[in-house]
Amino acid sequence: MSSIIKGKAFVLGDDIDTDQIIPAEYLVYRPDDAEESKNYGRYALSGVPSAKSGLPAGNIPFVAEDGCESDYRIIVAGKNFGCGSSREHAPFALQKAGVQAVVATSYARIFYRNVIDGGFLTPFESKMDISIRIKTGDVVEIDFNQFKLFNRTTQEEYSLIPLGEVAAIVQAGGLFEYARINKMV
Amino acid sequence: MTITEKILAKHAGKIKVEPGENIWVDVDILLTHDVCGPPTFAIFKQQFGIDAKVWDPEKVVIIPDHYIFTSDPCAKRNVEILRDFVSEQNLPHFYDVGAEMYKGVCHVALPEEGFALPGQVLFGTDSHTSTAGAFGEFATGIGNTDAAFILGTGKLWVKVPETMKFIIDGEIPSYVMAKDIILKIIGDIGVDGAAYRTMEFAGSGVEAMDMESRMTLTNMVIEAGGKNGIIEPDETTFAYLTKRTQRSYEPVTEDKNARFHSVTRYTSEQLLPMVAKPHSPGNTAPARELRKTKLNRAYIGSCTGGKLSDFYAAARILKGREVTIATYTVPATTEVSAGLKSTRIDEQSLWEIFENTGCKIGPPSCAACLGGPADTFGRLNQAEVCISTTNRNFPGRMGSKQSQVYLASPYTVAASALTGQITDPEDYL
């Protein structure tokens, strides 16, 4: 795993639920079919109300019309990210859209588990709510070793919370990889 | 230890566990449905091999319920994937669409079929798997990767949660339902107020509840971020199970010296009909403060508010009157649907009451609770304003992003369907 993730940030507010991340009507597509699964990227974050999509300005589509991938690599959000349904299609949709990391103040627990056990992307927790300090489109860089987020657009830096006990699963790349390393499967 | 800690310790082969500890537990039942079953099976085969067999066919329960009565080809294909896997793995507990044993909403079907058992560990690929905690078991929702891991190994890691205890003291007012109580609690603690924790319900108010009301409490713990909801099993639990199943189980009770994250007490005077306003289950207010809020849709159904007792409650209010807004009713399961025909209030069956008052009755499934494909029964396809017995009112949850959903009890939804505005049911009982 590279120790640096760099890209444009897409900023969201508090309590982003999994219906907003991937609306239920799209859950019919097969994640294991290469063509069909592109729809998860296409509709990622399509349930977010327009005014709250891409803060602070809002009305910014996460994925361009007719596209299946987003220009934004890093999601920055407030508290309780991923609340609601247990659909693993939610972190999968973000991954398919090209997201490599989410930085939120806190996560809903099933989403957090799914992100880590499925190895879709890396979920970081920020020490303070940085969703009110970063603007959609700012270029940010996450350093895994230092647990820092640098805003290259404004030259500000913020501390992230170390992954703690789940770090071993994240580093392995997911639950199955972790279990194999530890000779559990 | 608390009930949850004791169940988890036992399933981890430990004498004692502490909150915060990560442990591996043996799984008693894995539940899945048509939305998350197919991707779970794909991961299972990818990880364990194309010829891999599930760890124990007796412990896998597959209840298709989400996208059933739709012409969506992908949704139909997903049910086919379930069928193929069931037949290949020779799984005995499959409630197939179109078959005599078709059930409907998995969280209501699971106890009806005797799979919700005290002292056990249940994982399901659906966040409302917490419902079965009403039977005194550890029950929680997981994703497809975790479910695939269980299918192959029968085990999963869990972090032992702290327990928040909620005591409902005294007699619950006649116009207040379990739904009002859980909405009140979610409003008080917030939508992440129980994050990573157990919500345990106790007290004389809970002891007086039937199983279906208890299920409404544990069903919605996820709306406060809870990991699981749990209620100590008692004579009411055992009486329900005796009628339903021959399967054996070992009930677990709480230790006297159990330690809690917090203990919160509610008394009957704090309880009144509650409504969660758009777009959050935590955005609550008493129904009477929202009078004059105009509605054009009412919906009764789902794992939260589509059980027989929910319909009985709604019918008590509707009987002899007429709804003034489009009112969709969806019994959770085929058993609930049959119950609408066999259960009477005075001379009329519940089914007749719903028909005579102008409600539309749909076939058992999750239906419009989570929107679903465009042709889903009761789906909010435009800027409707709906009052619903379901569990979530996130933006676009029941269909269109332009729609608005108010969550309430079956009493409040029925009373509001009569007037076309949010109505406190106390006036109708």
Side-chain angles (χ1 to χ4, degrees):
Chain A
M1 190 166 65
S2 158
S3 61
I4 302 271
I5 293 176
K6 188 176 179 181
K8 284 205 287 180
F10 194 80
V11 182
L12 297 162
D14 291 337
D15 302 320
I16 298 298
D17 62 78
T18 54
D19 281 87
Q20 293 184 58
I21 297 173
I22 184 75
E25 64 195 283
Y26 305 123
L27 304 182
V28 295
Y29 302 119
R30 282 182 75 148
D32 58 320
D33 180 286
E35 255 327 287
E36 210 172 304
S37 66
K38 287 182 183 166
N39 286 303
Y40 285 101
R42 184 189 309 273
Y43 297 116
L45 293 177
S46 66
V48 178
S50 304
K52 295 183 176 175
S53 180
L55 296 176
N59 296 304
I60 302 172
F62 176 62
V63 180
E65 207 172 329
D66 297 330
C68 292
E69 276 197 52
S70 175
D71 290 341
Y72 303 94
R73 288 280 172 272
I74 295 163
I75 305 275
V76 175
K79 71 171 183 75
N80 201 28
F81 188 83
C83 59
S85 138
S86 65
R87 62 188 72 161
E88 193 166 301
H89 311 72
F92 179 71
L94 295 178
Q95 185 196 46
K96 288 299 282 185
V99 173
Q100 293 178 352
V102 177
V103 183
T105 335
S106 64
Y107 293 88
R109 55 161 290 279
I110 304 179
F111 179 88
Y112 191 71
R113 261 194 96 98
N114 287 346
V115 168
I116 287 170
D117 283 356
F120 296 105
L121 42 90
T122 311
F124 290 99
E125 288 179 312
S126 53
K127 282 194 175 162
M128 60 162 99
D129 183 1
I130 61 172
S131 70
I132 50 175
R133 292 163 191 269
I134 291 176
K135 291 184 171 61
T136 294
D138 284 0
V139 174
V140 300
E141 194 175 304
I142 296 170
D143 186 323
F144 281 59
N145 297 327
Q146 294 188 63
F147 282 94
K148 294 270 188 204
L149 182 145
F150 303 98
N151 186 339
R152 295 299 182 204
T153 303
T154 61
Q155 305 308 323
E156 289 168 316
E157 69 171 70
Y158 305 98
S159 296
L160 304 174
I161 297 169
L163 290 169
E165 58 207 349
V166 298
I169 303 178
V170 173
Q171 272 152 17
L175 177 63
F176 281 98
E177 291 74 8
Y178 172 83
R180 279 200 189 94
I181 291 168
N182 291 283
K183 311 239 182 298
M184 299 173 71
V185 291
Chain B
M1 288 186 284
T2 65
I3 310 168
T4 296
E5 288 158 12
K6 279 172 90 168
I7 295 171
L8 291 177
K10 199 168 156 188
H11 285 75
K14 289 171 175 269
I15 293 163
K16 192 170 170 44
V17 294
E18 297 275 354
E21 205 177 318
N22 284 315
I23 55 171
W24 287 86
V25 293
D26 291 327
V27 180
D28 291 307
I29 298 284
L30 175 70
L31 168 70
T32 191
H33 51 51
D34 54 302
V35 167
C36 293
T40 296
F41 303 152
I43 298 170
F44 169 73
K45 294 203 163 187
Q46 191 191 333
Q47 295 290 345
F48 292 103
I50 200 80
D51 297 321
K53 291 288 172 195
V54 305
W55 100 103
D56 186 344
E58 274 298 326
K59 295 181 174 176
V60 180
V61 179
I62 303 176
I63 309 181
D65 58 359
H66 273 56
Y67 305 151
I68 305 304
F69 302 101
T70 169
S71 60
D72 187 292
C74 290
K76 288 181 173 306
R77 185 267 323 270
N78 285 347
V79 176
E80 286 296 337
I81 295 175
L82 296 184
R83 285 183 186 130
D84 291 346
F85 190 77
V86 163
S87 112
E88 167 200 308
Q89 299 279 334
N90 210 5
L91 302 178
H93 309 301
F94 175 47
Y95 297 88
D96 197 3
V97 180
E100 180 132 5
M101 69 193 304
Y102 173 71
K103 292 293 297 185
V105 178
C106 65
H107 308 302
V108 180
L110 194 85
E112 282 179 356
E113 295 297 302
F115 290 108
L117 297 169
Q120 294 206 338
V121 168
L122 165 75
F123 288 101
T125 60
D126 191 286
S127 60
H128 292 111
T129 301
S130 61
T131 312
F135 291 82
E137 71 172 323
F138 177 81
T140 191
I142 52 171
N144 307 330
T145 299
D146 284 352
F149 193 89
I150 293 172
L151 272 182
T153 65
K155 291 180 188 296
L156 192 63
W157 73 274
V158 288
K159 185 174 187 163
V160 178
E162 289 184 291
T163 293
M164 298 172 85
K165 190 166 187 172
F166 296 88
I167 298 173
I168 316 299
D169 249 347
E171 198 177 338
I172 296 166
S174 62
Y175 46 86
V176 169
M177 298 186 72
K179 179 68 170 286
D180 298 306
I181 298 172
I182 190 66
L183 285 176
K184 166 83 179 151
I185 293 173
I186 298 165
D188 287 352
I189 67 175
V191 290
D192 57 355
Y196 292 83
R197 301 194 193 109
T198 300
M199 292 174 77
E200 181 178 320
F201 303 96
S204 55
V206 177
E207 286 160 22
M209 285 182 190
D210 60 19
M211 288 316 297
E212 291 192 352
S213 300
R214 296 180 187 186
M215 286 162 66
T216 305
L217 296 179
T218 49
N219 173 272
M220 282 191 72
V221 300
I222 183 68
E223 271 59 68
K227 182 175 198 144
N228 67 312
I230 205 156
I231 296 170
E232 195 168 76
D234 61 9
E235 288 312 315
T236 305
T237 323
F238 305 138
Y240 180 103
L241 291 168
T242 303
K243 280 193 273 179
R244 302 279 175 172
T245 184
Q246 306 284 313
R247 292 185 187 93
S248 61
Y249 55 86
E250 291 171 43
V252 168
T253 52
E254 195 143 87
D255 290 336
K256 288 268 183 303
N257 60 356
R259 282 183 299 183
F260 301 96
H261 166 273
S262 54
V263 178
T264 310
R265 200 173 290 271
Y266 287 89
T267 53
S268 47
E269 54 274 20
Q270 290 169 279
L271 305 177
L272 69 175
M274 297 295 290
V275 172
K277 299 172 280 181
H279 294 283
S280 167
N283 190 17
T284 57
R288 66 177 59 147
E289 285 176 19
L290 300 172
R291 280 177 178 155
K292 306 238 185 304
T293 304
K294 292 266 185 246
L295 305 162
N296 52 22
R297 177 69 68 90
Y299 187 93
I300 302 172
S302 84
C303 53
T304 313
K307 303 178 285 325
L308 188 59
S309 55
D310 297 313
F311 284 98
Y312 190 87
R316 279 186 63 200
I317 288 187
L318 295 173
K319 185 169 176 288
R321 301 184 169 109
E322 273 183 35
V323 299
T324 61
I325 54 176
T327 301
Y328 288 77
T329 63
V330 185
T333 62
T334 45
E335 183 174 322
V336 175
S337 191
L340 294 186
K341 289 183 173 152
S342 62
T343 309
R344 289 173 179 274
I345 298 178
D346 301 329
E347 75 293 355
Q348 286 187 72
S349 72
L350 302 186
W351 188 283
E352 287 164 339
I353 292 171
F354 288 108
E355 275 191 340
N356 293 342
T357 49
C359 300
K360 299 172 177 70
I361 308 174
S365 81
C366 299
C369 171
L370 75 165
D375 60 351
T376 301
F377 181 82
R379 189 178 192 273
L380 307 183
N381 288 325
Q382 296 164 50
E384 285 97 348
V385 183
C386 179
I387 189 159
S388 176
T389 66
T390 55
N391 43 56
R392 289 184 178 140
N393 56 350
F394 301 147
R397 167 73 179 181
M398 292 183 73
S400 166
K401 271 204 278 184
Q402 271 64 54
S403 64
Q404 297 180 56
V405 178
Y406 290 83
L407 304 174
S409 78
Y411 277 155
T412 303
V413 170
S416 304
L418 295 174
T419 61
Q421 52 191 32
I422 293 178
T423 301
D424 188 319
E426 195 180 349
D427 309 339
Y428 285 83
L429 285 163

